Amino acid sequence: MAGNGRIVLAATPIGNPRDASGRLIELLAEADVIAAEDTRRLRRLAGALGIELRGQIVAHHDHNEAGSAAGLVERAGHGELVVLVSDAGMPTVSDPGYRLVRAAIEAGVPVSVVPGPSAVLAALAVSGLPSDRFTFEGFLPRKAGERTAAVAALAEERRTMVFFEAPHRLADVLAVLRDALGGDRPAAVCRELTKTYEEVVRGDLATLCEWASGQVRGEIVLVVGGATGSRISLEDLVAQAVEMIAGGTPPREATKRLARTAGIPARQLYDAVVAARR
């Protein structure tokens, strides 16, 4: 490998440009290549920070990452400094970057990171929910049946859960969470973090469902408390399975998923579902 070529994953502000680190500013000014999820957002950020971008700017997003990664790795392998940024926060966390990192590792190209703002950690910290152990679930599936199945699989999760969600789907997602986890489960909706209209709404899922019935705007991070009570009842598992089946999940697959989560024999749940559907 020639020179000091490497790939750097650089975290960018999630809202307020003043959250940019000194290292990020230096890196963007020095980079030979800047791979950006959205080149227009990158230029706006550079303008807000007063940075002159001397390196080549290339698009690197979900739709072209498979092809783009090889070229970026090759350039780093020839000694260039390649910086990867997403629209906001840390690349690879619900954003492009994973394929590039894997390709670089396989090619023996150094990969480093410039840490910074994270919507996941910011929401977790401000939620008021336990933060010693947590799980990041990203975006739940868009299809109703798949979303119900994904939430059902989290019914016994005892760690605090963090989700990303689009504002127009928030009410539906909260309703699914309420029905599967219980209306008394504590949660927090964190909206527009670090921006002018930042808002954190805390309460149980039932209360948040009512709040979200109105128009909600902005970027959303949803934090939900983990399970603390006893295992879900067989009756509730049957109801969840019937809903999943109605949403298109095959009966055996639905009961297998739920039974694994609840720690009961799949056959027991399947027989109960068959009886309930007669």
Side-chain angles (χ1 to χ4, degrees), residues 186-208:
V189 175
C190 305
R191 189 179 71 85
E192 294 288 89
L193 288 172
T194 78
K195 299 178 182 178
T196 302
Y197 298 104
E198 175 179 298
E199 180 181 25
V200 180
V201 183
R202 304 174 183 87
D204 57 32
L205 287 172
T207 302
L208 291 177

Side-chain angles (χ1 to χ4, degrees), residues 6 41 116 169 171 240:
R6 67 191 190 280
R41 288 198 180 193
R169 288 197 300 266
Q240 290 183 24

Side-chain angles (χ1 to χ4, degrees), residues 207-222:
T207 302
L208 291 177
C209 279
E210 294 180 9
W211 170 81
S213 61
Q215 188 176 27
V216 179
R217 296 179 178 178
E219 296 183 355
I220 304 292
V221 185
L222 176 60

Side-chain angles (χ1 to χ4, degrees), residues 44-257:
R44 286 199 296 270
L45 175 63
L49 298 176
I51 305 171
E52 180 183 353
L53 301 176
R54 296 185 177 90
Q56 181 184 4
I57 299 172
V58 299
H60 185 85
H61 45 69
D62 286 333
H63 301 296
N64 76 345
E65 185 174 10
S68 172
L72 294 173
V73 169
E74 182 178 3
R75 295 186 67 166
H78 284 92
E80 294 189 85
L81 171 59
V82 177
V83 176
L84 174 66
V85 295
S86 59
D87 286 351
M90 177 59 66
T92 78
V93 181
S94 273
D95 280 326
Y98 171 75
R99 291 185 180 92
L100 176 59
V101 173
R102 290 304 313 167
I105 292 171
E106 291 168 7
V109 170
V111 180
S112 61
V113 62
V114 171
S118 165
V120 176
L121 296 181
L124 181 67
V126 79
S127 69
L129 294 169
S131 57
D132 52 337
R133 298 177 69 240
F134 69 94
T135 174
F136 174 57
E137 299 296 329
F139 286 92
L140 286 168
R142 294 187 179 187
K143 294 184 178 179
E146 295 176 2
R147 184 165 57 218
T148 299
V151 172
L154 296 171
E156 291 301 308
E157 175 59 67
R158 293 185 176 273
R159 294 169 293 183
T160 298
M161 295 166 280
V162 183
F163 304 86
F164 285 164
E165 197 46 75
H168 63 277
R169 288 197 300 266
L170 179 63
D172 290 341
V173 165
L174 285 170
V176 172
L177 288 165
R178 176 200 60 201
D179 294 344
L181 309 183
D184 59 347
R185 184 73 68 93
V189 175
C190 305
R191 189 179 71 85
E192 294 288 89
L193 288 172
T194 78
K195 299 178 182 178
T196 302
Y197 298 104
E198 175 179 298
E199 180 181 25
V200 180
V201 183
R202 304 174 183 87
D204 57 32
L205 287 172
T207 302
L208 291 177
C209 279
E210 294 180 9
W211 170 81
S213 61
Q215 188 176 27
V216 179
R217 296 179 178 178
E219 296 183 355
I220 304 292
V221 185
L222 176 60
V223 187
V224 180
T228 57
S230 59
R231 289 187 179 275
I232 190 170
S233 68
L234 181 61
E235 181 180 355
D236 287 339
L237 286 170
V238 169
Q240 290 183 24
V242 169
E243 186 174 352
M244 289 169 63
I245 294 167
T249 304
R252 290 193 181 280
E253 181 180 347
T255 52
K256 183 178 180 180
R257 289 185 193 174

Side-chain angles (χ1 to χ4, degrees), residues 14-39:
I14 61 175
N16 192 324
R18 290 178 296 175
D19 291 335
S21 69
R23 285 186 66 199
L24 173 65
I25 293 172
E26 293 175 1
L27 193 66
L28 292 178
E30 296 171 359
D32 297 304
V33 184
I34 304 174
E37 184 179 7
D38 186 326
T39 59

Side-chain angles (χ1 to χ4, degrees), residues 246-271:
T249 304
R252 290 193 181 280
E253 181 180 347
T255 52
K256 183 178 180 180
R257 289 185 193 174
L258 291 169
R260 185 187 304 119
T261 302
I264 66 173
R267 185 69 193 184
Q268 177 187 358
L269 179 56
Y270 179 81
D271 289 344

